[in-house]
Amino acid sequence: MTAPAGCVAVVGAGQAGLQLATTLRALGYDGRVVLVGAEPALPYQRPPLSKAYLAGTVPAEDLALRDPAYLAEQGVELVAGRRVVGATLTGVGGVLRLDDGVVLGFDRLALTTGATARRLPVPGAGLPGVLGLRSVADAEQLRSGLAEAADVVVVGGGFVGLEVAATARAQGKRVHVVEAADRLLARVVAAPFSAHVRAWHESRGTTVLTGASVSALDGTDRVTGVVLGDGRTLAADLVVTGVGAVPDVALAQALGLEVERGIVTDAAGRTSHPHVVAAGDCTVQPHPHLPGRGLGIESVNNAVEQASAAAAVLLDQEPAPRGVPWFWSNQGELRLQTAGIADGHDQVVVRGDGGADGTGRLTVLYYRAGRLIAADVAGNPRDFNAARDALAHGLSVDPEAARDAGVPLKSLVEDPSAPAPTGPALAAHLTNGP
Amino acid sequence: MPTIEFTCPDGSHRTVEARVGASVMETAVKLGVPGIVGECGGGLSCATCHVFVDADQIDLTGPATDFEEEMLEDAVTPPTELSRLSCQITMTDALDGLRVSIAKEQQ
């Protein structure tokens, strides 16, 4: 081991921070590992916050990612419920100042500060009954709000908003989803996939309004309605805002690191400072298809992989190669899985029709310059696994052949750079065929 | 608390106590049992918590459901009729003493 002997400080005790801390140990680091988190709880899982936890079927203690006994065994010192209020980098390391006055010296620093839910920039957004969802504390408030509510309006038709909508609808609430774009999940999926997701939610009784802006939230002591751009007002006793997240970059900026929308890193979490890494929702990393552009990837998979790589970087070890980015979203019985990064595609292939009520199977394959770059899959693990496997091996799928949903996707995976069969070989193949 | 006995990929055994209502995957991940990754946290989306249930106990846990079976088809270690995704096995007192072997190639 070449570096560092003394102490690694990890700021942010979410999925990425925990992963970074435990990977340092797995890679053989034997110095101090201090994990500083602003929230009082042990590092916990966020995906259930909009689903099982919100529905009340999972207790808070089950959200913890690791048992305290395991953290102790690993020698990860968790400093929970403390904010970093100041930080300095020196030539060899630096110091963090915490809000309780503690000063923590470190040799290397990791920033896994996450992101904050974006607030709705309209009058009334601060009224009681208007909630975002990011932390377990948010989810607790939302859960008790749901118990009382009859009319729920979800502002924002992204993954979190739709997961909350499905959970609320399953509890019998009247649910409206209000989305400013002309379709759901517009930033991340192609139109046929949006239509499928919409059909599922509508068949369950949720009202989906697209192309609908919110101009204000009504109410005096508490929210009572959502005023739309066209003047209509939707009754609401609970408003959930799912309008994106803003990377938490304040500390990185204070330290003089390069920051765009998030902390600028490479795929392995290297920042512009040689002794500082960053990982997870607080970062932007090189876009895989659009050179020169940065990409924020908010997913558990990214948090885990980027943090693991960043741990290796801090120890001057070669990071393991990154896998295929992937993501999932369960909205009631609707199971969505994504492999790869679709942004930058120039062609789309649809497999299956998904059914009028969205309960069927639907796969959308994304291509760039004739090669498969991503897949969105509803209710079809075989297609998801085949696409993920193809991407992992640098292989593709013939777009024309893939349109036939009756043909297993796995059987169509091919090497697009392999030379095409020559005349005689093709003839021989045909002769020997069944 | 019901116990679970894991046979880890390196052949070692580890017995842990599980909370009733928690899944086998969650229990393993929280305590750092090697070989169970559980990246999707039980979302039935990653197939990184593949285990083989002891043949004498598969009737207690039941076999994989349809969606689970499709996820298992492409797991790193090929599945058998004893395969389950451990995130889909919820611990109960009736499962006290459950024995599962962790799929070998699972990192």
Side-chain angles (χ1 to χ4, degrees):
Chain A
M1 180 134 337
T2 50
C7 178
V8 175
V10 183
V11 182
Q15 184 102 41
L18 175 73
Q19 184 71 31
L20 213 146
T22 54
T23 304
L24 287 170
R25 291 291 182 234
L27 295 176
Y29 179 61
D30 57 8
R32 273 182 89 190
V33 176
V34 184
L35 182 57
V36 185
E39 294 179 66
L42 285 163
Y44 60 87
Q45 307 177 57
R46 280 178 211 280
L49 297 181
S50 52
K51 313 177 189 90
Y53 184 76
L54 189 57
T57 57
V58 163
E61 68 250 37
D62 276 5
L63 295 178
L65 283 160
R66 297 289 184 278
D67 195 271
Y70 176 76
L71 294 181
E73 178 192 306
Q74 292 289 304
V76 172
E77 300 172 41
L78 177 65
V79 179
R82 295 267 71 95
R83 286 182 182 280
V84 174
V85 293
T88 314
L89 283 166
T90 62
V92 289
V95 290
L96 294 177
R97 286 183 301 284
L98 309 187
D99 59 1
D100 59 352
V102 166
V103 175
L104 175 71
F106 59 80
D107 300 275
R108 296 287 186 274
L109 178 65
L111 300 178
T112 51
T113 46
T116 311
R118 188 190 299 279
R119 269 174 67 111
L120 206 57
V122 300
L127 283 169
V130 181
L131 301 170
L133 177 56
R134 196 77 199 169
S135 65
V136 66
D138 295 337
E140 265 168 38
Q141 268 196 294
L142 192 50
R143 189 162 66 175
S144 53
L146 261 187
E148 313 274 304
D151 287 291
V152 177
V153 176
V154 175
V155 181
F159 287 115
V160 172
L162 292 171
E163 288 169 3
V164 171
T167 306
R169 186 61 202 140
Q171 294 181 6
K173 312 300 174 187
R174 281 186 295 273
V175 180
H176 282 81
V177 174
V178 179
E179 166 58 47
D182 61 357
R183 56 190 179 85
L184 298 176
L185 299 167
R187 277 191 315 115
V188 281
V189 307
F193 208 77
S194 293
H196 180 73
V197 171
R198 180 175 189 146
W200 188 88
H201 283 273
E202 288 182 333
S203 76
R204 292 301 181 286
T206 291
T207 305
V208 177
L209 304 175
T210 48
S213 62
V214 171
S215 56
L217 302 180
D218 264 351
T220 44
D221 302 333
R222 193 182 161 79
V223 71
T224 55
V226 174
V227 184
L228 302 180
D230 64 6
R232 273 185 299 167
T233 298
L234 304 173
D237 32 38
L238 185 67
V239 174
V240 186
T241 57
V243 289
V246 185
D248 191 341
V249 297
L251 186 56
Q253 280 171 328
L255 289 170
L257 302 181
E258 190 187 345
V259 170
E260 284 170 11
R261 182 174 174 271
I263 304 169
V264 176
T265 68
D266 70 1
R270 294 179 185 88
T271 68
S272 56
H273 191 287
H275 294 166
V276 184
V277 294
D281 291 2
C282 63
T283 66
V284 293
Q285 53 194 301
H287 195 295
H289 314 306
L290 305 174
R293 267 188 48 191
L295 179 70
I297 307 177
E298 287 174 42
S299 70
V300 170
N301 164 256
N302 181 64
V304 167
E305 287 213 10
Q306 199 180 17
S308 301
V313 165
L314 277 187
L315 302 181
D316 291 336
Q317 297 181 17
E318 190 58 35
R322 294 283 301 265
V324 178
W326 75 277
F327 179 80
W328 85 99
S329 171
N330 294 341
Q331 299 165 20
E333 299 304 308
L334 183 65
R335 294 180 175 280
L336 309 181
Q337 294 169 297
T338 285
I341 301 290
D343 189 40
H345 70 270
D346 56 23
Q347 186 190 357
V348 158
V349 168
V350 180
R351 283 168 61 78
D353 75 355
D357 59 358
T359 56
R361 297 178 171 219
L362 186 83
T363 296
V364 176
L365 302 175
Y366 299 84
Y367 290 81
R368 180 173 174 83
R371 288 193 69 129
L372 183 71
I373 57 167
D376 287 329
V377 181
N380 194 339
R382 288 191 184 102
D383 271 11
F384 171 67
N385 287 327
R388 188 158 72 148
D389 208 44
L391 294 168
H393 294 97
L395 303 176
S396 192
V397 171
D398 179 76
E400 287 313 313
R403 287 179 207 282
D404 183 352
V407 179
L409 197 58
K410 200 174 175 174
S411 71
L412 299 175
V413 174
E414 59 183 17
D415 184 350
S417 58
T422 58
L426 187 60
H429 174 73
L430 290 173
T431 314
N432 295 335
Chain B
M1 281 185 165
T3 63
I4 310 169
E5 183 184 331
F6 291 96
T7 302
C8 300
D10 66 358
S12 67
H13 295 267
R14 181 150 170 203
T15 301
V16 302
E17 289 190 334
R19 205 182 60 73
V20 169
S23 74
V24 171
M25 179 279 291
E26 271 177 76
T27 308
V29 169
K30 277 186 189 173
L31 296 169
V33 174
I36 293 194
V37 181
E39 188 174 341
C40 77
L44 197 48
S45 254
C46 70
T48 59
C49 66
H50 180 192
V51 297
F52 300 97
V53 175
D54 189 286
D56 294 340
Q57 294 177 316
I58 192 71
D59 290 344
L60 290 176
T61 63
T65 60
D66 291 348
F67 195 94
E68 186 183 340
E69 202 170 277
E70 289 187 35
M71 281 305 294
L72 276 164
E73 277 176 21
D74 291 289
V76 197
T77 306
T80 71
E81 69 278 10
L82 301 175
S83 287
R84 292 294 311 268
L85 289 176
S86 57
C87 66
Q88 301 301 305
I89 306 175
T90 302
M91 285 306 289
T92 60
D93 286 320
L95 287 179
D96 183 29
L98 182 68
R99 292 179 302 278
V100 300
S101 301
I102 298 167
K104 286 219 165 29
E105 285 90 347
Q106 212 156 254
Q107 60 136 35

